Amino acid sequence: ILLHILNFQIREETNTQIDLPAEGDKSDNIIITGKKENVEEARERILKIQNEQANIVSEEVSIPPKFYNSIIGAGGKLVKHIMDECGGVQIKFPSSDSKSDKVQIRGPQEDVDRAKQQLLELANEREQNSFTAEVRAKPQHHKYLIGKSGATIKKLRETTGCRIIFPSASDENQELITIIGKQEGVQKAKAELEAYIKDIDNVVEDDMQVDPKYHRHFVSRRGEILQRISEECGGVSISFPRAGVQSDRVVLKGAHECIQTAKQKIQEIVEDLESMVTIDCVIPQKFHRTIMGQRGAKVQDITYKFDVQIKFPERNFQEDYTQSNEYYDGEHAAENGENNLMNGDANPVPSIKACDIIRITGKPENCEAAKQALINNVPITIQVDVPFDYHRSIIGQKGQSIRELSDRFDVHIEVPNSDDHLDYIKITGTNEAVESAKIAVEERIKEIDAEREDRLLKSYELEFEVEPEFHPKIIGKRGLVINKIRQDHNVQITFPRRGDENEKIIKIVGYEDKAIAARDDILKLVSELSGLAKVEVFLDSRVHSRLIGTRGRSIRKIMDQFNVEIKFPRSQDPEPDLVIITGNENDCEEAKDHLLNLEEEYLQDVSEPPTYREETNNFFGNHNVKSEASGFVVKGGPWEQKAPDTNSTEDFPTFGGGSSHTPQSSLPWGPRR
């Protein structure tokens, strides 16, 4: 079939007739008909194909069918890569319904050998990574083997590099667990799984008694304490009675050793709870929100840090005073009692409001530390000396500076009313925060003093005189020259307006040394400008626009050509024809000659247009037009003339050839002649 296909291709490309032996014919002769050169080319190509086909071999290699998919690869990419790498050999796998393990390879001998070796290596690699072992475990124990969120089995996979497959709900054998991987890793995973299973088979159930008043401590925060005990004790299961059930029985499930360890930890926590005390911390209720912080963040930090429970009174607590230790501690009561006795009151009554009492529960030393932390969070207000003139700087533009300070130190800063002219500000917040904010304010005052001193140094003024004729050159085109001097010396330079009384004075403001340096630069520039020559030339104002050109292009070109500056007069100048050339003397003279030549050339194209009076006089004649205040009068028009005589040959001449008389033509306007 291949030869027939190539026959057709060669025949088309060489334009020859190729006759192959008929099927069943034992002859091996091929007849080629065509031009000699085409026949030779076809003959060589057929012989070349024959030589290549003589080297083609076909071999088979045994590969287990279970590895076919992995060797072929997704979309046949892997096997195609092998064929391309081995000179384009053909690799054919058995069909899916065939049970054969023979893979055919066809191509040149060397390429076939290379492809065969690569396939065997891949199969061997798959064989090594496909070692399988099986473990059996009760279905109810699978969850313990897998662990919470698959933690246990994931760890086992990472350490052994094996795949561990648990039976699905549709599998017949629910106890069979399959391990797939390298032999060494599979054996290790199997041993660990069997050890886990052995431990789980020893799972027992036990219980212990815990006073119901402590149950809430264990199950609070989503059972965080129980989860920690379970993780530390080998995954033991701990179950407390449901809410509302009056029972002290706690059930534990797991290995015997793990249960004993968990019991011991629970007992230790119960003993700590029994040793806990509850103390009161009296803080005015108006500060409670500040102490809690945003969304209770501050009080939560204290709770976690000192391992205590903190309970704030209800906001709608209506009872203002109490005489019972249930609402205030004895220490405060004794203090208040002594004060009342000193005032002569025989029946001392504590003045502590119940709404001000915060309850702290925990170990005695932790409660005291938490109490002190709460007291430290009570806001205080201090007064910081800040001169009234500095208030605006402390506030900043649109209050930005004072907001940054307040947010940075978590304080409230109050600036007195500007009408009061007070020399202080108030800072409210925790003791530590207030002190930090105070230091920041004092540092800001130092910065303001430094800024004011710098501003004073930068306000040095220097004035000097420069002739107004040099001002435009000092400023430069679009201010380029003067802006560079300003930037180089960081100063402000002010020029007088044209026509001012002191139009010679230039003013510089900045640091003293910088202002002097800027002045020296300007005077140096003036000195250079003073050494330039000025040449005056009178050019007819009618050609000024042509000399200047569109947007000054022509005159700029001339100035660049001769390296001079050319200044034309303004409309209000007394000499409309006077043009001034500034620059090197020789350059000015050359520019002058060039301008005069251009003037002469342009004047040839300039002609003064006739006035309206001249145009009308030329048309009507001077004697017919008379300018008056009321306008002009036309005389001698057709309407003022006598009607022509129709019988007159002069008014109506004949056009025949018999008459040689030609009437004299007359103007259509004006008197007859």
Side-chain angles (χ1 to χ4, degrees):
I1 296 174
L2 178 61
L3 189 58
H4 280 282
I5 295 174
L6 294 174
N7 174 27
F8 177 78
Q9 182 179 357
I10 295 172
R11 185 176 58 189
E12 291 294 326
E13 293 178 357
T14 61
N15 193 21
T16 58
Q17 177 66 34
I18 301 175
D19 296 324
L20 299 176
E23 187 175 354
D25 191 349
K26 295 182 180 181
S27 175
D28 56 357
N29 292 327
I30 300 176
I31 301 174
I32 307 173
T33 305
K35 292 182 179 180
K36 182 177 181 180
E37 58 271 16
N38 295 343
V39 169
E40 291 295 334
E41 181 183 355
R43 178 176 175 274
E44 290 178 1
R45 294 182 62 175
I46 292 174
L47 291 176
K48 183 179 178 181
I49 294 172
Q50 180 183 5
N51 294 332
E52 291 177 352
Q53 290 295 321
N55 192 33
I56 298 298
V57 297
S58 179
E59 293 189 11
E60 294 182 347
V61 58
S62 297
I63 297 177
K66 62 181 180 180
F67 300 140
Y68 286 174
N69 290 336
S70 60
I71 292 177
I72 294 173
K77 289 184 178 179
L78 183 55
V79 73
K80 184 178 180 182
H81 175 72
I82 295 174
M83 290 190 293
D84 294 340
E85 187 177 349
C86 298
V89 298
Q90 298 295 323
I91 300 176
K92 184 178 180 181
F93 285 83
S95 59
S96 58
D97 55 350
S98 175
K99 297 182 179 180
S100 174
D101 61 349
K102 303 298 182 181
V103 178
Q104 293 182 355
I105 309 174
R106 181 178 174 80
Q109 184 66 49
E110 294 180 0
D111 296 337
V112 168
D113 292 340
R114 284 196 302 162
K116 182 178 179 180
Q117 183 181 357
Q118 290 193 22
L119 289 176
L120 290 175
E121 289 176 356
L122 284 174
N124 187 31
E125 181 182 345
R126 300 297 188 272
E127 183 74 30
Q128 291 180 359
N129 291 332
S130 300
F131 190 81
T132 304
E134 296 178 350
V135 182
R136 295 181 180 275
K138 297 179 181 179
Q140 58 267 29
H141 292 168
H142 288 184
K143 63 179 180 180
Y144 298 106
L145 293 175
I146 296 173
K148 185 176 181 181
S149 301
T152 304
I153 207 66
K154 183 179 180 182
K155 182 178 179 182
L156 188 59
R157 286 172 179 166
E158 292 175 353
T159 55
T160 62
C162 298
R163 294 178 57 195
I164 302 173
I165 304 173
F166 284 82
S168 62
S170 59
D171 291 341
E172 295 181 2
N173 193 340
Q174 293 293 313
E175 294 185 357
L176 188 63
I177 302 173
T178 306
I179 308 171
I180 303 175
K182 292 184 179 181
Q183 183 175 358
E184 182 181 355
V186 169
Q187 291 175 352
K188 182 180 178 181
K190 181 179 179 181
E192 292 188 16
L193 272 179
E194 288 176 345
Y196 287 156
I197 293 169
K198 184 177 179 181
D199 291 339
I200 293 172
D201 288 338
N202 294 329
V203 169
V204 295
E205 181 176 320
D206 199 355
D207 60 13
M208 65 181 297
Q209 281 68 41
V210 178
D211 195 322
K213 65 181 179 181
Y214 301 130
H215 289 188
R216 184 176 181 182
H217 176 77
F218 287 95
V219 300
S220 61
R221 301 173 190 168
R222 298 182 180 180
E224 179 182 343
I225 297 175
L226 295 180
Q227 291 178 10
R228 186 175 69 249
I229 295 173
S230 177
E231 292 174 358
E232 294 174 356
C233 299
V236 64
S237 174
I238 306 172
S239 300
F240 274 74
R242 295 181 180 178
V245 177
Q246 293 297 325
S247 174
D248 60 353
R249 183 172 180 266
V250 178
V251 179
L252 298 91
K253 294 181 181 179
H256 183 267
E257 295 79 5
C258 297
I259 289 178
Q260 296 304 318
T261 305
K263 276 186 176 183
Q264 184 179 353
K265 289 186 176 293
I266 293 174
Q267 189 60 37
E268 290 174 357
I269 295 174
V270 170
E271 291 174 359
D272 289 340
L273 292 174
E274 289 176 348
S275 65
M276 286 184 180
V277 297
T278 299
I279 66 173
D280 293 344
C281 179
V282 180
I283 297 175
Q285 191 180 33
K286 63 180 180 179
F287 299 129
H288 288 187
R289 183 177 299 226
T290 305
I291 293 171
M292 291 181 183
Q294 189 175 9
R295 297 183 180 180
K298 292 182 179 179
V299 75
Q300 288 176 9
D301 291 341
I302 296 174
T303 300
Y304 284 109
K305 182 177 180 180
F306 300 104
D307 192 20
V308 296
Q309 295 181 0
I310 301 175
K311 183 178 181 181
F312 284 79
E314 299 292 339
R315 293 184 183 178
N316 57 355
F317 210 123
Q318 298 297 328
E319 186 178 7
D320 291 338
Y321 300 97
T322 179
Q323 300 180 12
S324 171
N325 286 338
E326 184 180 359
Y327 297 102
Y328 63 95
D329 57 10
E331 181 181 353
H332 287 90
E335 292 176 358
N336 290 321
E338 290 177 2
N339 293 335
N340 289 328
L341 288 173
M342 291 176 63
N343 294 331
D345 190 350
N347 298 317
V349 178
S351 58
I352 299 175
K353 296 181 180 179
C355 60
D356 297 339
I357 299 173
I358 302 172
R359 297 282 181 82
I360 307 173
T361 303
K363 293 183 179 181
E365 61 274 14
N366 292 351
C367 289
E368 291 298 332
K371 178 179 179 180
Q372 187 59 44
L374 289 175
I375 293 174
N376 292 339
N377 282 336
V378 175
I380 61 173
T381 301
I382 64 172
Q383 187 170 294
V384 181
D385 294 333
V386 178
F388 173 74
D389 295 341
Y390 290 44
H391 286 187
R392 185 181 296 274
S393 300
I394 294 293
I395 295 172
Q397 187 175 8
K398 296 182 179 180
Q400 182 178 358
S401 299
I402 198 169
R403 280 197 304 271
E404 290 179 355
L405 281 173
S406 301
D407 296 340
R408 179 181 171 188
F409 299 103
D410 193 19
V411 295
H412 173 70
I413 302 177
E414 180 182 354
V415 180
N417 195 319
S418 58
D419 297 336
D420 298 337
H421 292 79
L422 300 177
D423 296 329
Y424 64 82
I425 63 173
K426 292 182 179 181
I427 304 177
T428 302
T430 62
N431 190 16
E432 183 179 356
V434 164
E435 289 300 324
S436 300
K438 178 182 177 182
I439 295 173
V441 170
E442 291 173 348
E443 291 178 354
R444 178 59 184 149
I445 292 175
K446 293 179 182 179
E447 292 177 0
I448 296 172
D449 289 336
E451 291 172 0
R452 290 192 172 189
E453 184 178 356
D454 181 73
R455 195 179 300 114
L456 182 62
L457 294 174
K458 200 174 182 179
S459 60
Y460 176 78
E461 295 185 2
L462 177 63
E463 295 182 352
F464 60 100
E465 293 185 357
V466 174
E467 292 297 329
E469 59 181 312
F470 297 117
H471 290 187
K473 295 297 293 181
I474 296 172
I475 295 172
K477 185 178 179 181
R478 297 180 181 177
L480 292 178
V481 178
I482 199 64
N483 285 338
K484 187 176 186 305
I485 297 176
R486 287 178 179 137
Q487 294 174 1
D488 291 345
H489 302 286
N490 191 22
V491 295
Q492 297 179 2
I493 304 176
T494 307
F495 286 83
R497 293 184 178 180
R498 184 181 295 273
D500 284 355
E501 182 178 356
N502 298 322
E503 62 178 0
K504 297 182 179 181
I505 296 177
I506 298 177
K507 181 178 178 181
I508 303 178
V509 179
Y511 295 110
E512 182 176 0
D513 56 337
K514 300 290 186 181
I516 294 173
R519 179 199 63 186
D520 294 343
D521 285 354
I522 293 175
L523 292 178
K524 180 180 178 181
L525 182 60
V526 172
S527 177
E528 294 174 356
L529 295 174
S530 300
L532 298 177
K534 288 186 179 180
V535 176
E536 296 181 352
V537 57
F538 289 89
L539 302 175
D540 196 315
S541 59
R542 292 177 296 174
V543 299
H544 285 188
S545 60
R546 291 197 62 181
L547 291 173
I548 294 172
T550 305
R551 298 183 179 180
R553 293 176 183 172
S554 300
I555 199 64
R556 277 200 303 270
K557 186 176 180 181
I558 296 172
M559 289 191 291
D560 294 340
Q561 179 181 355
F562 296 98
N563 194 23
V564 296
E565 181 184 2
I566 302 174
K567 185 177 180 181
F568 284 83
R570 299 187 179 184
S571 58
Q572 65 270 23
D573 289 348
E575 291 291 344
D577 297 337
L578 180 61
V579 177
I580 299 175
I581 307 172
T582 306
N584 183 275
E585 185 173 359
N586 293 333
D587 295 338
C588 291
E589 291 297 334
E590 292 179 1
K592 176 181 177 181
D593 294 341
H594 182 72
L595 289 175
L596 290 173
N597 291 335
L598 290 177
E599 178 197 27
E600 183 178 356
E601 177 183 345
Y602 294 157
L603 282 176
Q604 295 177 2
D605 300 332
V606 177
S607 59
E608 186 176 359
T611 62
Y612 174 79
R613 179 184 300 275
E614 292 173 345
E615 290 179 351
T616 54
N617 286 345
N618 290 337
F619 184 75
F620 294 109
N622 292 334
H623 60 283
N624 290 333
V625 182
K626 181 179 180 181
S627 297
E628 296 181 0
S630 58
F632 62 90
V633 178
V634 179
K635 293 184 177 180
W639 54 86
E640 293 182 352
Q641 298 180 13
K642 183 177 65 175
D645 185 3
T646 56
N647 296 323
S648 171
T649 58
E650 183 178 355
D651 292 340
F652 295 93
T654 62
F655 295 96
S659 177
S660 62
H661 175 72
T662 303
Q664 185 179 359
S665 63
S666 62
L667 294 174
W669 289 58
R672 294 183 179 274
R673 295 179 182 178

